[in-house]
Amino acid sequence: MPKRPSLIVVANRLPVRRVGAGAGARWERSPGGLVSAMEPVLEQFGGTWVGWSGSPGRGPRPFWADNVRIVPVALSRRDEEHFYNGMSNRTFWPLYHDAVRTPEFNRQWWGAYVEVNRRFARAAARAARRGDVVWVHDYHLQLVPAMLRELKPDLRIGFFMHVPFPPEELFAWLPWRTDILRGLLGADLVGFQTQAAMQNFSRLARRYTTAVGTDSELEFGGRAVRCGSFPVSIDFDAFDALARDAEVVRDAESIRQRLGARRRVVLSVDRLDYTKGIEQRLSAYAELLATREVSADRCVLVQIAVPTRDPLPDYARIRASVEHAVGRINGEHASPGRVAVHYFRRSLTRRELVAWYVAADVMLVTPLRDGMNLVAKEYVACRTDNSGVLVLSEFAGAARELRRAVLVNPRDLDGMVAAISHALKMDADEAAQNMSLLRSVVRRHDVRFWAEGFLGALTA
Ligand code: ADP
Ligand code: G6P
């Protein structure tokens, strides 16, 4: 009997990363939405995960983590600098996020990008047997689909972009725009978070390559390439169950007591990234306190920020600017034993994070641009009693689905102030009605729905 095709996931990051060196080296969970989404999927389907350990040098040998085979791809210090810090995080990341920072175009970085993509393609080709399904992820590996197809034409190859895909006005800046489009067109199915991103891609493919067809069905090099929108999601049941866990509920209560039992809790949780709109959010909260519409006696903002991409100058700048803003707000509004804004720059465990979601009356998720934003969905999944209000940026992919959130433009200061104030004052019945609808959306469209939708379309 023929064996069922195996699933091979190819992503820059492995689900775990190696931190520390020598005898002190250990593995910890990798940061970011891609890993949060793919972890439960691979746990369910089993398979292989090809990726980088997160530290330069010779990678460890392949190993098993539960039912997932982990295949590390080694990056040298130079690869880390040129491929990861450079091309991935200083060119593609800002370019694909509305150029909120100016992307840099550097030929050396591009050379490393091509080389490292080829290394990932070879590693995936070695891990796959005839007829297997290979699922390539995100902006680090856009050349892998075509490279892999050349090495092993008998594979089913899918690609999913977790970040936005920009319109021609921005994408056309890229000196290597045709190479990137051809790379992606090597897949049988190219998936995006939103319809808009999918349309941007298809139009660009028709404009800059020989591809012809519609937004969802292209023909390129004599092959069919399908494109689709598949909004990524979370493991709703796992978050819902954790939020009901007695110990987590006690922790949430203890958080509220320590913040001040009578105070409303406003929460934000992000990677410390310049796309997340943290500065704009803090300005809006400062303005709200300054107008005395809300007082620090009655309300507290908690900003939890995960350290990310530390060596890059734009990330050092955003950190300094956020810390300055927090200091300024507390300088004006804190009193002994009562801080107006709490700021924690650290990674939390899933249980700790859920306790914060359960403790928060209002959640502010206000990125300037975000492919999806899973934090918004996680908060919703944790509101088991339908209480709580989500304030969500129109520029997050999640806003397409979470229509019952309070939607805001993060660059509109007055609008932001009004939205936070509205969320704090919202009548309990109205809040419950909204939250109940939001919960049903995320419950229905959870991460399994996403993965099955994508893989179903890929293998159909
Ligand atoms: P991005 O992919 O840009 O990081 P997302 O909101 O889609 O943004 O995903 C972020 C993921 O990281 C979520 O699953 C969230 O739970 C997790 N996360 C965010 N902040 C923390 C933190 N301080 N500690 C641990 N995990 C965090
Ligand atoms: C986003 C990207 C992921 C990335 C994650 C964390 O979610 O879409 O591809 O892994 O951020 O960023 P990092 O640079 O630490 O991998």
Side-chain angles (χ1 to χ4, degrees), residues 167-235:
E168 181 170 1
E169 290 78 358
L170 292 174
F171 189 80
W173 294 1
L174 195 63
W176 309 283
R177 58 198 183 195
T178 308
D179 306 70
I180 291 299
L181 294 167
R182 285 203 195 113
L184 293 169
L185 287 165
D188 297 296
L189 174 66
V190 190
F192 297 89
Q193 302 277 24
T194 60
Q195 287 278 336
M198 172 191 92
Q199 284 166 350
N200 287 342
F201 170 74
S202 304
R203 283 173 196 164
L204 282 158
R206 291 193 298 259
R207 168 99 170 76
Y208 290 105
T209 75
T210 55
V212 291
T214 64
D215 286 350
S216 57
E217 289 193 326
L218 294 168
E219 197 192 306
F220 178 70
R223 295 170 32 248
V225 181
R226 271 166 315 138
C227 309
S229 135
F230 302 88
V232 71
S233 195
I234 60 160
D235 187 344

Side-chain angles (χ1 to χ4, degrees), residues 115-130:
E115 216 177 282
V116 172
N117 270 248
R118 186 156 294 125
R119 200 173 308 152
F120 272 87
R122 288 201 184 114
R126 274 195 301 274
R129 289 166 324 183
R130 201 183 164 73

Side-chain angles (χ1 to χ4, degrees), residues 12-13 31-34 84 89 93 138-140 162-163 271 308-309:
N12 178 54
R13 275 217 185 268
L34 186 159
Y84 173 69
N89 289 333
W93 182 265
D138 233 356
Y139 57 101
H140 315 84
H162 291 254
V163 298
R271 271 185 314 99
T308 183
R309 306 176 195 165

Side-chain angles (χ1 to χ4, degrees), residues 8-13 34 48-51 73 120-121 124 134-138 141 144 148:
I8 291 130
V9 167
V10 190
N12 178 54
R13 275 217 185 268
L34 186 159
T48 302
W49 190 318
V50 178
V73 174
F120 272 87
V134 181
W135 192 357
V136 186
H137 292 261
D138 233 356
L141 302 178
V144 168
L148 183 56

